[in-house]
Each structure stands twice: as structure tokens, then as C-alpha cells.
Amino acid sequence: QPAPLAAVKQAVWSVQPDQPLFDVRPLSDVVDNMTAEPRRGLALLLGTVAMLAVIVSGAGMFTLVTYVTTRRRREIALRRVIGAGLADVVRLVSITTIRWTCVGLAAGVAAAVATSALLRANFAGVAPTSVGVFAIVSVFYLAIAAAAMSAPAIGALRDDPAAILRAE
């Protein structure tokens, strides 16, 4: 049992009355904080790298979908002239993107399950496979994919099909 704070202060002041005391805590708390700090730093670093990876992959997905949609402008214009509607154009742009996003999510979840043992060894309280976390991240990333697909699809719908077909 650690000694009460008042008793520790009184013992120090009985020897040195003008000694200032601050941040008095048990040695076990100090040791716990010192050993927990590298783990917190590593967790912060991993979280920061993960957020940067999501941002970079989202930007890359947006760029790729925009590029592919731009390359298919003539096809989209022909489809619109024939009578394709909003849903048809969105489906045309989104099917391959959603397919590749799901493949990437499956590979990412498989890699996360494979590396969960490493995380469990370094961090207390990490579940072997956090299905809820995997589901939340998957839904979040699918939302990023949907946002990345929406801008090029809307842009393709705003283009005048006659002007595109005349230009080529």
C-alpha cells in the first residue's frame, strides 16, 4: 500500500521545510506511464499512417475513376444519344470501381487478420479479429469510393453528347 500523500509531504518537510513538492505519485504509476508511453507513440504513429493511407488511396481512386471516365467520354455520349439515363451512366462508371474496391477491401481485411497477432502482442486490449472495426472501415472506404465515383459520373452527365461526338 502506498503511503498517503499527506504523510509523504510531512516526512519530506520534517527534514527540509522549504522543499517544494509537486506531482507526487507512487513509483508504480511512474513506471506504468513510462512503459505505456512507447505504445501510445506507436499507436499514434500507426493511426497517422493509416489516415494518410486512406487519404492517398481515396485521392488515387478519385483520379483513376476520373481518368477512366474521361477516356470513355465518347462511349458515354453514344449511350446517352441512344437513350441511356442517369442510372445507366452511373452504373457504367461504378460497376468496375465497386468491383475493384471490394477486391481491395478483401485483400486489406485478409492482411489485417494476418497482422492482428502482431498488434495483439504489442497492444493490450486488441481483439484477435475485430469484426466491427473491419465492417466500419469497409463501409467508410466504400463511402469514399462512392464519393470518388459520383463526381466523374455527374461530369459525364453534364457534357453535351452532340459536342463530344462532333469533336471526335
Side-chain angles (χ1 to χ4, degrees), residues 73-94:
R73 283 179 67 202
R74 183 170 168 82
E75 176 190 353
I76 292 170
L78 280 172
R79 288 177 184 258
R80 288 188 54 215
V81 166
I82 293 171
L86 170 68
D88 298 321
V89 172
V90 170
R91 190 176 315 113
L92 177 69
V93 172
S94 64

Side-chain angles (χ1 to χ4, degrees), residues 95-148:
I95 283 180
T96 55
T97 304
I98 290 295
R99 188 175 298 139
W100 282 109
T101 301
C102 289
V103 168
L105 282 172
V109 168
V113 169
T115 59
S116 66
L118 175 68
L119 291 174
R120 269 184 281 134
N122 288 318
F123 299 105
V126 174
T129 51
S130 302
V131 177
V133 172
F134 292 154
I136 289 170
V137 169
S138 297
V139 168
F140 178 70
Y141 203 76
L142 284 172
I144 290 173

